[in-house]
Amino acid sequence: DADVTQTPRNRITKTGKRIMLECSQTKGHDRMYWYRQDPGLGLRLIYYSFDVKDINKGEISDGYSVSRQAQAKFSLSLESAIPNQTALYFCATSAATRREQFFGPGTRLTVL
Amino acid sequence: GDSVTQMEGPVTLSEEACLTINCTYTATGYPSLFWYVQYPGEGLQLLLKATKADDKGSNKGFEATYRKETTSFHLEKGSVQVSDSAVYFCALRNSNYQLIWGAGTKLIIKP
C-alpha cells in the first residue's frame, strides 16, 4: 500500500470552479507539504504544515488555501481555478527529525 | 536567496554510457543536498543525499559528492541502463528546513 496517497489523480475543470485536492499519509509524519510542478521550473512550494495547528505559506500561496484536518490529512483548495494553475501537484511528508521528504504520486490538474 | 541550478535537458545517452548531471547551489550556511528521481507517471523519490562537505551519497550505482569549495553536487553513474530514464532533481535543504529545487533534468537512455 502506498504511504502517501493523493486524490484525484487527474482532474479537468473549468475556470472559476472550486477544486479540492486531497492528501493522506500512513507514515505517521508530522510535516506535510504541497508543491506544484511545471515544466522547466522544478517544484515550487505552495503551503506546508509542521503539525495540525501550524500552517505556513510557501513560495507561491496566492490563489490557494489548505486545511490540515488531522495529522494524516492535508488538503489543498483552489477557490476559483484559473488556467495558469494547470500543473502537476504533489503532496509530500517528512518526519520532524529527519530531512527526507516522501512524495505522493501526484495530481494532474487541468483548468480550461 | 537560496537557489539550485542544474543542467538543462534532455540528456540523451546510449546504454552503458557514463553519466554526469551537473548541479550547483547558492545558499547560506551548510545546507543538506539531495538528488531525487521521478520515473514516468510517478512521484519523486529520494535517490541519494549528503549532509556535509566532502560527504559522498550513493545509491543504485549513482554517486554525488558534496563539494563546498565549488558549491556543487554533480550526479554521476559509470554505466547507465534504459531503466535509468527519468527526470532527476537536485535540491538543497536550507536553514529554514525548506527544500529548494532545481528545474529538473530529463534523462533518456537508448538501448
Side-chain angles (χ1 to χ4, degrees), chain A residues 49-70:
Chain A
S49 170
F50 283 175
D51 64 42
V52 174
K53 298 180 180 180
D54 179 63
I55 304 290
N56 303 281
K57 292 183 177 181
E59 179 186 357
I60 53 162
S61 59
D62 288 348
Y64 302 94
S65 62
V66 291
S67 173
R68 185 83 183 264
Q69 301 95 323

Side-chain angles (χ1 to χ4, degrees), chain A residues 9 31 33 35 37 40-43 45 48 50 88 90 98-101 103-105, chain B residues 32 34 36 38 41-44 46 49 51 89 93 96-99 101-104:
Chain A
R9 294 293 311 276
R31 301 181 177 192
Y33 310 80
Y35 292 93
Q37 182 183 18
L41 293 177
L43 276 73
L45 183 63
Y48 61 102
F50 283 175
L88 190 54
F90 287 103
R98 295 190 61 183
R99 297 166 174 146
E100 178 182 357
Q101 291 187 11
F103 284 79
Chain B
S32 295
F34 306 84
Y36 279 79
Q38 183 182 25
E42 298 183 12
L44 283 74
L46 181 66
K49 66 181 179 182
T51 59
F89 291 90
R93 178 185 158 111
N96 294 323
Y97 303 103
Q98 293 183 354
L99 279 178
W101 298 85

Side-chain angles (χ1 to χ4, degrees), chain B residues 8-88:
Chain B
E8 292 187 18
V11 173
T12 303
L13 297 172
S14 298
E15 204 166 20
E16 299 184 3
C18 293
L19 169 71
T20 300
I21 300 178
N22 291 335
C23 172
T24 58
Y25 69 89
T26 302
T28 56
Y30 302 93
S32 295
L33 301 174
F34 306 84
W35 277 101
Y36 279 79
V37 59
Q38 183 182 25
Y39 297 105
E42 298 183 12
L44 283 74
Q45 55 186 275
L46 181 66
L47 180 60
L48 53 84
K49 66 181 179 182
T51 59
K52 61 183 186 296
D54 300 325
D55 267 2
K56 177 184 284 188
S58 60
N59 186 24
K60 299 181 181 180
F62 291 89
E63 295 182 338
T65 301
Y66 190 146
R67 301 287 188 197
K68 188 159 182 64
E69 64 276 12
T70 55
T71 61
S72 65
F73 192 56
H74 304 323
L75 183 68
E76 299 176 326
K77 187 173 185 182
S79 177
V80 293
Q81 306 300 313
V82 172
S83 58
D84 294 327
S85 297
V87 181
Y88 292 81

